Amino acid sequence: MYTSFFGLVKKPFSLTPDPEFLYLSSNHKKALTVLKYGLMSQAGFTVITGAIGAGKTTLVRHILNTIGEDCDVGLISNTHTAFGDLLTWVLSAFGVEHESRDKAERYQKFVRFIEQQYQKGHRVILIVDEAQNMDLQTLEELRLLSNINVGQDVMLQIVLVGQPELLKKLQAPELIQFAQRVSVGYNLNPLNLEETKKYIYYRLLIAGGSTQLFTPSACLAIYYFTAGVPRLINNICDLSLLYGFAEDEKIVSLQTVIEVIKEKKLGGITPIISHKGEIFEKIRKSIMSENSIDLAKV
């Protein structure tokens, strides 16, 4: 609706993970490097964690676009137990058809698939997104599945991506053997203030527009209310562009962002809070000094 008004060729702040818009902050670069290293070094298990909306799935989508043809990749994006057991998810992720209701037969079916790919010189990579939803028993089954790897030959690589709860589960006494098999891991933190500004400008640039569609004070307010979580930034920026369009505002102002925050606090599904800490207090005082607006009272 607002794209042509702002000179954009596409929406810059979609909530759907899009590798094209991947902004590599220092933390995201490290997470991506860890992912690549885990795959290149043929690590048995690689674990990437981070808060909701931190950009983990976007990193995974980026990796999927760069993996070579010598790799067979299976992606499990929903690990709820209502969708079946682990082997059912795994076979489906690799497109391996089966009619067996017996777990042992499904396991042998997967082993044969692994061996066939290995004979072709292919690496098999299983990526599990939202892995924090897996219970301890399923995680242990996943460890046992990795026993397909024999000696120096890594036939199956497993990448787990999830929220911080995944780390807590992996630290459980029942999963000590699992934790010992994790070769590389990284926890993805939100963006800092400067990275948040660059993130906003970068996505506007990729969408074909001007990097100056948000005033500096508007960017400060966005960081104040999102603490640098990319998904929250996208949500507020998208609505701010919509509100700016409705008001015939060519550059999104602080007042427009404040209006979005107020509306979301009143009736939004996603909670918006005023964050605490030295940097947020500094932003609050700066906005109050220059605009006579107290963000803590919005």
Side-chain angles (χ1 to χ4, degrees):
M1 179 182 289
Y2 60 69
T3 50
S4 59
F5 177 79
F6 287 108
L8 302 164
V9 295
K10 61 177 70 175
K11 286 182 63 176
F13 299 105
S14 173
L15 296 183
T16 304
D18 187 345
E20 184 182 0
F21 284 93
L22 177 62
Y23 169 71
L24 291 176
S25 69
S26 59
N27 282 323
H28 286 76
K29 282 181 182 178
K30 290 175 184 175
L32 184 59
T33 300
V34 166
L35 268 173
K36 288 181 177 179
Y37 176 76
L39 295 178
M40 291 175 60
S41 64
Q42 297 192 26
F45 280 97
T46 300
V47 176
I48 300 293
T49 56
I52 297 172
K56 303 181 297 299
T57 301
T58 304
L59 284 176
V60 169
R61 300 292 179 184
H62 174 79
I63 283 291
L64 289 175
N65 288 342
T66 60
I67 289 178
E69 295 182 357
D70 62 334
C71 296
D72 290 287
V73 182
L75 174 64
I76 298 175
S77 56
N78 195 321
T79 53
H80 196 282
T81 53
F83 291 90
D85 68 0
L86 177 63
L87 282 168
T88 300
W89 302 340
V90 171
L91 290 171
S92 177
F94 288 103
V96 179
E97 297 183 0
H98 70 94
E99 298 180 356
S100 174
R101 295 185 179 181
D102 182 84
K103 181 176 288 189
E105 289 184 17
R106 291 198 295 275
Y107 177 77
Q108 290 302 321
K109 185 85 172 179
F110 184 59
V111 170
R112 285 195 294 272
F113 167 75
I114 293 286
E115 291 173 344
Q116 289 169 359
Q117 302 313 307
Y118 182 71
Q119 290 169 4
K120 295 177 183 177
H122 288 193
R123 290 189 291 138
V124 178
I125 302 169
L126 174 64
I127 300 176
V128 183
D129 200 2
E130 300 295 346
Q132 77 281 347
N133 293 330
M134 304 174 83
D135 56 31
L136 298 186
Q137 180 181 345
T138 305
L139 284 167
E140 176 60 12
E141 288 182 21
L142 193 61
R143 181 190 70 82
L144 294 174
L145 198 61
S146 71
N147 287 337
I148 293 173
N149 295 328
V150 179
Q152 299 296 319
D153 296 323
V154 178
M155 302 169 69
L156 172 64
Q157 292 180 260
I158 300 175
V159 178
L160 298 185
V161 182
Q163 296 169 26
E165 298 94 289
L166 175 61
L167 287 180
K168 294 180 181 179
K169 289 185 175 181
L170 294 179
Q171 291 166 358
E174 301 94 317
L175 295 179
I176 187 170
Q177 292 188 66
F178 192 119
Q180 290 174 347
R181 291 198 183 184
V182 176
S183 303
V184 287
Y186 189 80
N187 184 64
L188 184 60
N189 291 316
L191 308 174
N192 61 32
L193 174 57
E194 191 60 32
E195 288 170 341
T196 296
K197 295 176 185 177
K198 291 179 179 179
Y199 174 85
I200 293 171
Y201 299 155
Y202 178 79
R203 293 188 73 107
L204 289 170
L205 185 65
I206 295 299
S210 167
T211 60
Q212 307 301 317
L213 290 184
F214 287 78
T215 65
S217 57
C219 292
L220 287 176
I222 290 168
Y223 179 74
Y224 183 87
F225 289 106
T226 64
V229 176
R231 189 179 298 166
L232 295 179
I233 296 171
N234 286 359
N235 186 238
I236 291 178
C237 285
D238 182 52
L239 287 175
S240 295
L241 287 171
L242 181 62
Y243 281 38
F245 166 71
E247 294 295 329
D248 202 30
E249 182 181 65
K250 285 295 185 179
I251 298 178
V252 176
S253 65
L254 169 65
Q255 287 71 23
T256 298
V257 172
I258 295 290
E259 185 181 352
V260 169
I261 297 299
K262 286 181 177 178
E263 289 295 326
K264 288 188 70 63
K265 282 190 172 183
L266 284 174
I269 297 174
T270 304
I272 297 295
I273 62 175
S274 302
H275 295 276
K276 296 181 180 180
E278 182 179 349
I279 183 63
F280 300 104
E281 184 61 21
K282 187 179 294 186
I283 291 172
R284 174 176 168 266
K285 289 180 178 179
S286 174
I287 294 293
M288 191 184 302
S289 173
E290 296 179 10
N291 300 274
S292 300
I293 297 175
D294 189 350
L295 295 180
K297 296 181 180 180
V298 170

